[in-house]
Coordinates of all heavy atoms in Angstrom, one line a residue:
M85 N 51.4 23.9 121.3 CA 50.2 24.6 121.8 C 50.3 26.1 121.5 O 51.4 26.7 121.6 CB 50.1 24.4 123.3 CG 48.8 25.0 123.9 SD 48.6 24.5 125.6 CE 47.9 26.0 126.2
T86 N 49.2 26.7 121.1 CA 49.2 28.1 120.7 C 48.4 28.9 121.8 O 47.4 28.4 122.3 CB 48.5 28.3 119.4 OG1 49.2 27.6 118.4 CG2 48.5 29.8 119.0
E87 N 49.0 30.0 122.2 CA 48.3 30.9 123.1 C 47.8 32.1 122.4 O 48.4 32.5 121.4 CB 49.2 31.3 124.3 CG 50.5 32.0 123.9 CD 51.4 32.3 125.0 OE1 50.9 32.6 126.2 OE2 52.6 32.3 124.9
S88 N 46.7 32.7 122.9 CA 46.1 33.9 122.3 C 46.4 35.0 123.3 O 46.0 34.9 124.4 CB 44.6 33.7 122.0 OG 44.4 32.8 121.0
I89 N 47.0 36.1 122.8 CA 47.3 37.2 123.6 C 46.6 38.5 123.0 O 46.6 38.7 121.8 CB 48.9 37.5 123.6 CG1 49.6 36.3 124.1 CG2 49.2 38.7 124.4 CD1 49.4 35.9 125.5
A90 N 45.9 39.2 123.9 CA 45.2 40.4 123.5 C 46.1 41.6 123.9 O 46.7 41.6 125.0 CB 43.9 40.5 124.2
L91 N 46.2 42.6 123.0 CA 47.0 43.8 123.3 C 46.2 45.0 123.0 O 45.2 44.9 122.1 CB 48.2 43.7 122.4 CG 49.2 42.5 122.5 CD1 50.2 42.5 121.3 CD2 49.8 42.5 123.8
H92 N 46.6 46.1 123.5 CA 45.9 47.4 123.3 C 47.0 48.4 123.0 O 47.9 48.6 123.8 CB 45.0 47.8 124.5 CG 44.5 49.2 124.3 ND1 44.9 50.3 125.1 CD2 43.5 49.7 123.5 CE1 44.2 51.3 124.8 NE2 43.4 51.0 123.8
T93 N 46.8 49.1 121.9 CA 47.7 50.3 121.6 C 46.8 51.4 121.2 O 45.6 51.3 120.9 CB 48.8 49.9 120.5 OG1 48.1 49.4 119.3 CG2 49.8 48.9 120.9
R94 N 47.4 52.6 121.0 CA 46.6 53.8 120.7 C 47.4 54.6 119.7 O 48.6 54.9 119.8 CB 46.4 54.6 121.9 CG 45.4 55.8 121.7 CD 44.9 56.3 123.1 NE 44.1 57.5 122.9 CZ 42.9 57.5 122.6 NH1 42.2 56.4 122.4 NH2 42.2 58.6 122.4
L95 N 46.7 55.0 118.6 CA 47.3 55.9 117.6 C 47.4 57.3 118.0 O 46.6 57.8 118.8 CB 46.3 55.8 116.3 CG 46.3 54.6 115.6 CD1 45.2 54.6 114.5 CD2 47.6 54.3 114.9
K96 N 48.4 58.0 117.5 CA 48.5 59.4 117.7 C 47.4 60.0 116.8 O 47.1 59.5 115.7 CB 49.9 59.9 117.2 CG 51.0 59.5 118.1 CD 52.4 59.9 117.5 CE 53.5 59.4 118.3 NZ 54.8 59.8 117.7
P97 N 46.7 61.0 117.2 CA 45.7 61.7 116.4 C 46.2 62.0 115.0 O 47.3 62.5 114.9 CB 45.3 62.9 117.2 CG 45.7 62.6 118.6 CD 46.9 61.7 118.5
G98 N 45.4 61.7 114.0 CA 45.8 62.1 112.6 C 46.6 61.0 111.9 O 46.9 61.2 110.8
T99 N 46.9 59.9 112.6 CA 47.8 58.9 111.9 C 47.0 57.7 111.4 O 47.5 56.7 111.0 CB 48.9 58.4 112.9 OG1 48.3 57.8 114.0 CG2 49.8 59.6 113.3
E100 N 45.6 57.8 111.5 CA 44.8 56.6 111.1 C 45.1 56.1 109.7 O 45.2 54.9 109.5 CB 43.3 56.9 111.3 CG 42.9 57.3 112.7 CD 43.0 58.8 113.0 OE1 43.8 59.6 112.3 OE2 42.3 59.3 113.9
E101 N 45.1 57.0 108.8 CA 45.3 56.6 107.4 C 46.7 56.0 107.2 O 46.9 55.0 106.5 CB 45.1 57.8 106.5 CG 45.1 57.4 105.0 CD 44.8 58.6 104.1 OE1 43.8 59.4 104.4 OE2 45.4 58.7 103.0
A102 N 47.7 56.6 107.8 CA 49.1 56.1 107.6 C 49.2 54.7 108.3 O 49.9 53.9 107.7 CB 50.1 57.1 108.2
Y103 N 48.5 54.5 109.4 CA 48.6 53.2 110.0 C 47.9 52.2 109.2 O 48.5 51.1 109.0 CB 47.9 53.3 111.4 CG 48.0 52.1 112.2 CD1 49.1 51.8 113.0 CD2 47.0 51.1 112.2 CE1 49.2 50.6 113.8 CE2 47.1 49.9 112.9 CZ 48.2 49.7 113.7 OH 48.4 48.5 114.4
A104 N 46.8 52.5 108.6 CA 46.1 51.6 107.7 C 47.0 51.3 106.5 O 47.0 50.1 106.1 CB 44.7 52.1 107.3
H105 N 47.6 52.3 105.9 CA 48.4 52.1 104.8 C 49.6 51.2 105.1 O 50.0 50.3 104.3 CB 48.9 53.4 104.2 CG 49.8 53.3 103.0 ND1 51.1 53.2 103.1 CD2 49.4 53.2 101.7 CE1 51.6 53.1 101.8 NE2 50.6 53.1 101.0
A106 N 50.2 51.4 106.2 CA 51.4 50.6 106.6 C 51.0 49.1 106.7 O 51.7 48.3 106.3 CB 52.0 51.1 107.9
H107 N 49.8 48.9 107.3 CA 49.4 47.5 107.5 C 48.8 46.9 106.2 O 48.7 45.7 106.2 CB 48.4 47.4 108.7 CG 49.1 47.5 110.0 ND1 49.5 48.7 110.5 CD2 49.6 46.5 110.8 CE1 50.2 48.5 111.6 NE2 50.2 47.1 111.8
A108 N 48.5 47.7 105.2 CA 48.1 47.1 103.9 C 49.4 46.7 103.1 O 49.2 46.1 102.1 CB 47.3 48.1 103.2
N109 N 50.5 47.2 103.6 CA 51.8 46.9 102.9 C 52.9 46.3 103.9 O 54.0 46.8 103.9 CB 52.3 48.2 102.3 CG 51.3 48.7 101.3 OD1 51.2 48.2 100.2 ND2 50.5 49.8 101.7
I110 N 52.5 45.3 104.6 CA 53.5 44.7 105.5 C 54.6 44.1 104.7 O 54.4 43.4 103.7 CB 52.8 43.5 106.3 CG1 51.6 44.1 107.1 CG2 53.8 42.9 107.2 CD1 51.9 44.8 108.4
P111 N 55.9 44.4 105.0 CA 57.0 43.8 104.3 C 57.0 42.3 104.4 O 56.8 41.8 105.5 CB 58.2 44.5 105.0 CG 57.7 45.7 105.7 CD 56.3 45.4 106.1
P112 N 57.3 41.6 103.3 CA 57.3 40.2 103.3 C 58.4 39.6 104.3 O 58.1 38.6 105.0 CB 57.7 39.8 101.9 CG 57.4 41.0 101.1 CD 57.5 42.2 102.0
E113 N 59.5 40.3 104.5 CA 60.5 39.8 105.5 C 60.0 40.0 106.9 O 60.4 39.2 107.8 CB 61.8 40.6 105.3 CG 61.8 42.1 105.4 CD 61.4 42.9 104.1 OE1 61.0 42.2 103.2 OE2 61.6 44.1 104.2
L114 N 59.1 40.9 107.2 CA 58.5 41.0 108.5 C 57.5 39.8 108.7 O 57.5 39.2 109.8 CB 57.8 42.3 108.7 CG 57.2 42.6 110.1 CD1 58.2 42.4 111.2 CD2 56.5 43.9 110.1
V115 N 56.7 39.5 107.7 CA 55.8 38.4 107.8 C 56.6 37.1 108.1 O 56.2 36.3 109.0 CB 54.9 38.3 106.5 CG1 54.1 37.0 106.5 CG2 54.0 39.5 106.4
E116 N 57.7 36.9 107.4 CA 58.5 35.7 107.6 C 59.1 35.7 109.0 O 59.2 34.7 109.7 CB 59.6 35.6 106.6 CG 59.1 35.2 105.2 CD 58.3 33.9 105.2 OE1 58.8 32.9 105.8 OE2 57.2 33.9 104.6
A117 N 59.5 36.9 109.5 CA 60.1 37.0 110.8 C 59.1 36.6 111.9 O 59.3 35.9 112.8 CB 60.7 38.4 111.1
L118 N 57.9 37.1 111.7 CA 56.7 36.9 112.7 C 56.5 35.4 112.7 O 56.4 34.7 113.7 CB 55.5 37.7 112.3 CG 55.6 39.1 112.6 CD1 54.5 39.9 111.8 CD2 55.5 39.5 114.0
K119 N 56.3 34.8 111.5 CA 56.0 33.3 111.4 C 57.2 32.5 112.0 O 56.9 31.5 112.7 CB 55.8 32.9 110.0 CG 54.4 33.4 109.4 CD 54.2 33.0 108.0 CE 52.8 33.5 107.5 NZ 52.6 33.1 106.1
G120 N 58.4 32.9 111.7 CA 59.6 32.2 112.3 C 59.6 32.3 113.8 O 60.2 31.4 114.4
A121 N 59.0 33.4 114.3 CA 59.1 33.5 115.8 C 57.8 32.9 116.4 O 57.6 33.0 117.6 CB 59.1 35.0 116.1
G122 N 57.1 32.1 115.6 CA 56.0 31.3 116.2 C 54.6 32.0 116.1 O 53.6 31.4 116.7
V123 N 54.5 33.1 115.4 CA 53.1 33.7 115.3 C 52.3 33.0 114.3 O 52.8 32.7 113.1 CB 53.3 35.2 114.9 CG1 51.9 35.8 114.6 CG2 54.0 36.0 115.9
R124 N 51.1 32.5 114.7 CA 50.2 31.8 113.8 C 49.2 32.8 113.1 O 48.8 32.6 112.0 CB 49.5 30.7 114.5 CG 50.4 29.7 115.1 CD 51.0 28.9 114.0 NE 52.1 28.0 114.6 CZ 53.4 28.2 114.2 NH1 53.8 29.1 113.4 NH2 54.3 27.4 114.8
N125 N 48.9 33.8 113.9 CA 47.9 34.8 113.3 C 48.0 36.1 114.2 O 48.3 36.0 115.4 CB 46.5 34.3 113.4 CG 45.5 35.1 112.5 OD1 45.9 36.0 111.8 ND2 44.3 34.6 112.4
W126 N 47.8 37.2 113.6 CA 47.8 38.5 114.3 C 46.7 39.3 113.7 O 46.7 39.6 112.5 CB 49.1 39.2 114.2 CG 49.4 40.3 115.1 CD1 48.5 41.4 115.4 CD2 50.6 40.6 115.8 NE1 49.1 42.2 116.3 CE2 50.4 41.8 116.5 CE3 51.8 39.9 115.9 CZ2 51.4 42.3 117.4 CZ3 52.8 40.5 116.7 CH2 52.5 41.6 117.4
R127 N 45.7 39.6 114.5 CA 44.5 40.4 114.0 C 44.5 41.7 114.8 O 44.8 41.8 116.0 CB 43.2 39.6 114.2 CG 43.3 38.4 113.3 CD 42.1 37.4 113.7 NE 42.0 37.0 115.1 CZ 42.7 36.1 115.7 NH1 43.7 35.5 115.1 NH2 42.4 35.8 117.0
I128 N 44.1 42.8 114.1 CA 44.0 44.1 114.7 C 42.6 44.7 114.3 O 42.3 44.7 113.1 CB 45.1 45.1 114.2 CG1 46.5 44.4 114.4 CG2 45.0 46.4 114.9 CD1 47.7 45.2 113.8
W129 N 42.0 45.3 115.4 CA 40.7 46.1 115.2 C 41.0 47.5 115.6 O 41.8 47.7 116.5 CB 39.6 45.5 116.0 CG 39.1 44.1 115.6 CD1 38.0 43.9 114.8 CD2 39.6 42.9 115.9 NE1 37.9 42.5 114.6 CE2 38.9 41.9 115.3 CE3 40.7 42.5 116.7 CZ2 39.1 40.5 115.5 CZ3 41.0 41.1 116.9 CH2 40.2 40.1 116.3
R130 N 40.3 48.5 115.0 CA 40.5 49.9 115.4 C 39.1 50.4 115.8 O 38.1 50.2 115.1 CB 41.1 50.7 114.3 CG 41.3 52.1 114.7 CD 42.1 52.9 113.6 NE 41.4 53.2 112.4 CZ 40.5 54.2 112.3 NH1 40.3 55.0 113.3 NH2 39.8 54.3 111.2
S131 N 39.0 51.2 116.9 CA 37.9 51.9 117.3 C 38.4 53.3 117.6 O 39.1 53.5 118.6 CB 37.2 51.3 118.5 OG 36.1 52.1 118.9
G132 N 38.1 54.3 116.7 CA 38.7 55.6 116.9 C 40.2 55.5 116.9 O 40.8 55.0 115.9
L133 N 40.9 55.9 117.9 CA 42.4 55.8 118.0 C 42.8 54.6 118.7 O 44.0 54.3 118.7 CB 42.9 57.1 118.7 CG 42.6 58.4 118.0 CD1 43.2 59.5 118.9 CD2 43.2 58.5 116.6
D134 N 41.9 53.8 119.2 CA 42.3 52.6 120.0 C 42.4 51.4 119.1 O 41.5 51.2 118.2 CB 41.3 52.3 121.1 CG 41.3 53.4 122.2 OD1 42.4 53.5 122.8 OD2 40.3 54.0 122.4
L135 N 43.5 50.7 119.3 CA 43.8 49.5 118.5 C 43.8 48.3 119.4 O 44.4 48.3 120.5 CB 45.2 49.6 117.8 CG 45.4 50.7 116.9 CD1 46.8 50.9 116.5 CD2 44.6 50.5 115.6
F136 N 43.1 47.2 119.0 CA 43.0 46.0 119.8 C 43.5 44.9 118.9 O 43.1 44.7 117.8 CB 41.5 45.8 120.2 CG 41.0 46.9 121.0 CD1 40.3 47.9 120.3 CD2 41.2 46.9 122.3 CE1 39.8 49.0 121.1 CE2 40.7 48.0 123.1 CZ 40.0 49.0 122.5
H137 N 44.5 44.2 119.5 CA 45.2 43.1 118.8 C 44.9 41.8 119.4 O 44.8 41.7 120.6 CB 46.8 43.3 118.9 CG 47.2 44.6 118.5 ND1 48.1 44.9 117.5 CD2 47.0 45.9 119.1 CE1 48.4 46.2 117.5 NE2 47.8 46.8 118.4
V138 N 44.8 40.7 118.7 CA 44.8 39.4 119.2 C 45.9 38.6 118.4 O 45.9 38.5 117.2 CB 43.4 38.7 119.0 CG1 43.5 37.2 119.5 CG2 42.3 39.4 119.8
V139 N 46.8 38.1 119.2 CA 48.0 37.4 118.6 C 47.9 35.9 119.0 O 47.8 35.6 120.2 CB 49.3 38.0 119.1 CG1 50.5 37.3 118.4 CG2 49.3 39.5 118.9
D140 N 47.9 35.0 118.0 CA 47.9 33.6 118.3 C 49.4 33.2 118.0 O 49.9 33.4 116.9 CB 47.0 32.9 117.4 CG 45.5 33.2 117.5 OD1 45.2 33.5 118.7 OD2 44.8 33.3 116.5
V141 N 50.1 32.8 119.1 CA 51.5 32.5 119.0 C 51.9 31.3 119.9 O 51.2 31.1 120.9 CB 52.3 33.8 119.5 CG1 51.9 34.2 120.9 CG2 53.7 33.7 119.3
E142 N 52.9 30.7 119.5 CA 53.4 29.5 120.3 C 53.8 29.9 121.7 O 53.5 29.3 122.7 CB 54.5 28.8 119.6 CG 54.1 28.1 118.3 CD 55.3 27.6 117.5 OE1 56.4 27.5 118.0 OE2 55.0 27.2 116.3
D143 N 54.6 31.0 121.8 CA 55.2 31.4 123.1 C 55.4 33.0 122.9 O 56.3 33.4 122.3 CB 56.5 30.7 123.4 CG 57.1 31.1 124.7 OD1 56.9 32.3 125.2 OD2 57.7 30.3 125.4
Y144 N 54.5 33.7 123.6 CA 54.5 35.2 123.4 C 55.8 35.8 123.8 O 56.4 36.6 123.1 CB 53.3 35.8 124.2 CG 53.3 37.3 124.1 CD1 52.9 37.9 122.9 CD2 53.5 38.1 125.2 CE1 52.9 39.3 122.8 CE2 53.5 39.5 125.1 CZ 53.1 40.1 123.9 OH 53.1 41.4 123.8
Q145 N 56.3 35.5 125.0 CA 57.5 36.1 125.5 C 58.7 35.7 124.6 O 59.5 36.6 124.2 CB 57.8 35.7 127.0 CG 57.2 36.6 128.0 CD 55.6 36.3 128.1 OE1 55.2 35.2 128.0 NE2 54.9 37.3 128.4
A146 N 58.8 34.5 124.2 CA 59.8 34.1 123.3 C 59.8 34.8 121.9 O 60.8 35.2 121.4 CB 59.8 32.5 123.0
M147 N 58.5 35.0 121.4 CA 58.4 35.7 120.2 C 58.9 37.1 120.3 O 59.6 37.6 119.5 CB 56.9 35.7 119.8 CG 56.5 36.5 118.5 SD 56.1 38.3 118.7 CE 54.6 38.2 119.6
R148 N 58.5 37.8 121.4 CA 59.0 39.2 121.6 C 60.5 39.3 121.7 O 61.1 40.2 121.2 CB 58.3 39.7 122.9 CG 56.8 39.8 122.8 CD 56.3 40.9 121.9 NE 56.4 42.1 122.7 CZ 55.8 43.2 122.3 NH1 55.0 43.2 121.3 NH2 55.9 44.3 123.0
H149 N 61.1 38.3 122.4 CA 62.5 38.4 122.5 C 63.2 38.1 121.2 O 64.2 38.7 120.8 CB 63.0 37.3 123.6 CG 62.7 37.7 125.0 ND1 63.3 38.7 125.6 CD2 61.9 37.1 125.9 CE1 62.9 38.8 126.9 NE2 62.0 37.9 127.0
A150 N 62.7 37.2 120.4 CA 63.2 36.8 119.1 C 63.1 38.0 118.1 O 64.0 38.2 117.3 CB 62.5 35.6 118.5
L151 N 62.1 38.8 118.2 CA 61.9 39.9 117.3 C 62.5 41.2 117.7 O 62.7 42.1 116.9 CB 60.4 40.1 117.0 CG 59.7 39.0 116.3 CD1 58.2 39.3 116.2 CD2 60.3 38.8 114.9
A152 N 62.9 41.3 119.0 CA 63.4 42.6 119.5 C 64.5 43.2 118.7 O 64.5 44.4 118.4 CB 63.9 42.3 121.0
D153 N 65.5 42.4 118.3 CA 66.6 42.9 117.5 C 66.6 42.3 116.0 O 67.7 42.4 115.4 CB 67.9 42.5 118.2 CG 68.1 43.2 119.5 OD1 67.7 44.4 119.6 OD2 68.6 42.5 120.5
H154 N 65.5 41.8 115.6 CA 65.4 41.2 114.3 C 65.5 42.3 113.2 O 64.8 43.3 113.3 CB 64.1 40.4 114.1 CG 64.1 39.6 112.9 ND1 64.0 40.1 111.6 CD2 64.3 38.2 112.8 CE1 64.1 39.1 110.7 NE2 64.2 37.9 111.4
P155 N 66.4 42.2 112.2 CA 66.5 43.2 111.2 C 65.2 43.6 110.5 O 65.1 44.8 110.0 CB 67.6 42.7 110.3 CG 67.9 41.3 110.7 CD 67.2 41.1 112.0
A156 N 64.3 42.7 110.3 CA 63.0 43.1 109.7 C 62.1 43.8 110.7 O 61.2 44.6 110.2 CB 62.3 41.8 109.2
N157 N 62.2 43.6 111.9 CA 61.4 44.2 112.9 C 61.8 45.7 113.3 O 61.0 46.5 113.6 CB 61.2 43.4 114.1 CG 60.1 43.8 115.1 OD1 59.1 44.2 114.6 ND2 60.4 43.8 116.4
I158 N 63.1 45.9 113.3 CA 63.6 47.2 113.8 C 63.0 48.4 113.0 O 62.5 49.3 113.6 CB 65.2 47.2 113.8 CG1 65.6 46.2 114.9 CG2 65.7 48.6 114.0 CD1 67.1 46.0 114.9
P159 N 63.1 48.3 111.6 CA 62.5 49.5 110.9 C 61.0 49.5 111.0 O 60.4 50.7 111.1 CB 62.9 49.3 109.4 CG 63.3 47.8 109.3 CD 63.8 47.4 110.7
W160 N 60.3 48.4 111.2 CA 58.8 48.4 111.4 C 58.5 49.1 112.7 O 57.6 49.9 112.8 CB 58.3 46.9 111.4 CG 56.9 46.9 111.6 CD1 56.2 46.6 112.7 CD2 55.9 47.2 110.6 NE1 54.8 46.7 112.5 CE2 54.6 47.1 111.2 CE3 55.9 47.7 109.3 CZ2 53.4 47.3 110.6 CZ3 54.7 47.9 108.6 CH2 53.5 47.7 109.3
Q161 N 59.2 48.7 113.8 CA 59.0 49.3 115.1 C 59.3 50.8 115.1 O 58.6 51.6 115.7 CB 59.8 48.6 116.2 CG 59.3 47.2 116.4 CD 57.8 47.1 116.7 OE1 57.2 47.9 117.4 NE2 57.2 46.1 116.1
A162 N 60.3 51.2 114.3 CA 60.6 52.7 114.1 C 59.4 53.4 113.5 O 59.0 54.5 113.9 CB 61.8 52.9 113.4
R163 N 58.8 52.7 112.5 CA 57.7 53.3 111.8 C 56.4 53.4 112.7 O 55.7 54.4 112.8 CB 57.3 52.5 110.5 CG 56.1 53.0 109.8 CD 56.3 54.4 109.2 NE 55.1 54.8 108.5 CZ 54.6 56.0 108.6 NH1 55.1 56.9 109.4 NH2 53.5 56.4 107.9
M164 N 56.2 52.3 113.5 CA 55.1 52.3 114.4 C 55.3 53.3 115.5 O 54.3 53.9 115.9 CB 54.9 50.9 115.0 CG 54.4 49.8 114.0 SD 52.8 50.2 113.2 CE 53.4 50.8 111.6
A165 N 56.5 53.6 115.9 CA 56.8 54.6 116.9 C 56.3 56.0 116.5 O 55.9 56.8 117.3 CB 58.2 54.6 117.3
E166 N 56.3 56.2 115.1 CA 55.9 57.5 114.6 C 54.4 57.6 114.7 O 53.8 58.7 114.6 CB 56.3 57.6 113.1 CG 57.8 57.7 112.9 CD 58.2 57.6 111.4 OE1 57.3 57.3 110.6 OE2 59.4 57.7 111.2
L167 N 53.7 56.5 114.7 CA 52.2 56.5 114.6 C 51.5 56.2 115.9 O 50.3 56.6 116.0 CB 51.8 55.4 113.6 CG 52.4 55.5 112.2 CD1 52.0 54.3 111.3 CD2 52.0 56.8 111.5
L168 N 52.1 55.5 116.8 CA 51.5 55.1 118.1 C 51.9 56.1 119.2 O 53.0 56.6 119.3 CB 51.9 53.7 118.5 CG 51.5 52.6 117.5 CD1 52.1 51.3 117.9 CD2 50.0 52.5 117.3
E169 N 50.9 56.3 120.1 CA 51.2 57.2 121.3 C 52.3 56.6 122.2 O 53.2 57.3 122.6 CB 49.9 57.4 122.1 CG 49.0 58.4 121.5 CD 47.9 58.8 122.4 OE1 47.7 58.2 123.5 OE2 47.2 59.7 122.0
V170 N 52.2 55.3 122.5 CA 53.2 54.7 123.3 C 53.7 53.5 122.6 O 52.9 52.6 122.2 CB 52.6 54.3 124.7 CG1 53.6 53.6 125.5 CG2 52.1 55.5 125.4
Q171 N 55.0 53.4 122.4 CA 55.6 52.3 121.8 C 56.3 51.5 122.9 O 57.1 52.0 123.6 CB 56.6 52.7 120.7 CG 57.2 51.6 119.9 CD 56.2 50.8 119.1 OE1 55.0 51.3 118.8 NE2 56.6 49.7 118.6
D172 N 56.1 50.2 122.9 CA 56.8 49.3 124.0 C 58.2 49.1 123.5 O 58.6 49.3 122.4 CB 56.0 48.1 124.3 CG 56.0 47.1 123.2 OD1 57.0 46.7 122.7 OD2 54.8 46.7 122.8
D173 N 58.9 48.5 124.4 CA 60.3 48.2 124.2 C 60.6 46.8 123.7 O 61.8 46.5 123.6 CB 61.1 48.6 125.4 CG 60.7 47.6 126.6 OD1 59.9 46.7 126.4 OD2 61.3 47.8 127.7
Y174 N 59.6 46.1 123.4 CA 59.8 44.7 122.9 C 60.5 43.9 123.9 O 61.3 42.9 123.5 CB 60.4 44.7 121.5 CG 59.4 44.2 120.5 CD1 58.5 45.1 120.0 CD2 59.4 42.9 120.0 CE1 57.5 44.7 119.1 CE2 58.4 42.5 119.1 CZ 57.5 43.4 118.7 OH 56.6 43.0 117.7
S175 N 60.4 44.2 125.2 CA 61.2 43.4 126.2 C 60.6 42.0 126.3 O 61.4 41.1 126.7 CB 61.0 44.1 127.5 OG 59.7 44.1 128.0
G176 N 59.4 41.8 126.0 CA 58.8 40.4 126.2 C 58.4 40.2 127.6 O 58.0 39.1 128.0
N177 N 58.5 41.2 128.5 CA 58.1 41.0 129.9 C 56.6 41.2 130.2 O 56.2 40.9 131.3 CB 58.9 41.9 130.8 CG 60.4 41.6 130.7 OD1 60.8 40.5 130.6 ND2 61.2 42.6 130.8
D178 N 55.9 41.7 129.2 CA 54.5 41.8 129.4 C 53.7 40.6 129.0 O 54.3 39.6 128.4 CB 53.9 43.0 128.6 CG 53.9 42.7 127.1 OD1 55.0 42.5 126.5 OD2 52.8 42.6 126.5
S179 N 52.4 40.5 129.4 CA 51.7 39.3 129.1 C 50.3 39.7 128.4 O 49.4 38.9 128.4 CB 51.4 38.4 130.3 OG 50.8 39.2 131.3
G180 N 50.3 40.9 127.9 CA 49.1 41.4 127.2 C 48.0 41.8 128.2 O 48.2 42.0 129.4
I181 N 46.8 41.9 127.7 CA 45.6 42.3 128.4 C 45.2 41.1 129.2 O 45.1 40.0 128.6 CB 44.5 42.9 127.6 CG1 45.0 44.1 126.8 CG2 43.3 43.1 128.4 CD1 44.0 44.6 125.7
Q182 N 44.9 41.3 130.5 CA 44.4 40.2 131.3 C 43.0 39.7 130.9 O 42.1 40.5 130.6 CB 44.3 40.6 132.8 CG 43.8 39.6 133.7 CD 43.7 40.1 135.2 OE1 43.8 41.2 135.4 NE2 43.3 39.2 136.0
K183 N 42.9 38.4 130.7 CA 41.7 37.7 130.3 C 40.8 37.7 131.5 O 41.2 37.2 132.6 CB 41.9 36.4 129.7 CG 40.6 35.7 129.3 CD 40.6 34.3 128.6 CE 41.9 33.6 128.6 NZ 41.8 32.3 128.0
V184 N 39.5 38.1 131.4 CA 38.6 38.1 132.5 C 37.6 36.9 132.3 O 37.3 36.3 133.3 CB 37.8 39.4 132.5 CG1 36.7 39.4 133.5 CG2 38.7 40.6 132.7
W185 N 37.2 36.6 131.1 CA 36.2 35.6 131.0 C 36.3 35.0 129.6 O 36.8 35.6 128.6 CB 34.8 36.2 131.1 CG 33.7 35.2 131.0 CD1 33.2 34.3 131.9 CD2 32.9 34.9 129.8 NE1 32.2 33.6 131.4 CE2 32.0 33.9 130.1 CE3 32.9 35.5 128.5 CZ2 31.0 33.5 129.2 CZ3 32.0 35.0 127.6 CH2 31.0 34.0 128.0
E186 N 36.0 33.7 129.4 CA 35.9 33.0 128.2 C 34.8 32.1 128.2 O 34.5 31.4 129.2 CB 37.2 32.2 128.0 CG 37.3 31.6 126.6 CD 38.7 30.9 126.4 OE1 39.6 31.3 127.1 OE2 38.8 30.1 125.5
L187 N 34.0 32.0 127.1 CA 32.9 31.1 127.0 C 33.3 29.6 127.2 O 34.2 29.2 126.5 CB 32.2 31.2 125.6 CG 31.0 30.4 125.3 CD1 29.8 30.9 126.2 CD2 30.6 30.5 123.8
P188 N 32.7 29.0 128.1 CA 33.1 27.6 128.4 C 32.7 26.6 127.3 O 31.8 26.9 126.6 CB 32.5 27.2 129.8 CG 31.5 28.3 130.1 CD 31.8 29.5 129.1

C-alpha cells in the first residue's frame, strides 16, 4: 500500500533559479536511493518562495530513516540546506502536513 504525504518547505530569497536547476539535474544515484526506499513518486510545486511536495511512498517514516545517512542523500541535503530556509533533520518523526479533507 502506498501513502501520500504532503510537505511544505520554503526557499531562501533569491534561490529560486538554483533550486529549479538542482531539480532539473537530480543525480541518478539519488533517484535510485529514493526508489529503493519505497518512493513511488515525488512532485513539487512552487508559489513564490513556498514549495509544496506530494510524496507517494510505501512507508514515509521508514523512507526518511533509510535515507538519513544514505551516501547519495547526504550531499543532496547539504545542497538543499543552502537553498531552503529551514532544513529538517531527516529524523522521520514527522508525518507531513495534516490532511483536512479528501474527495470521497
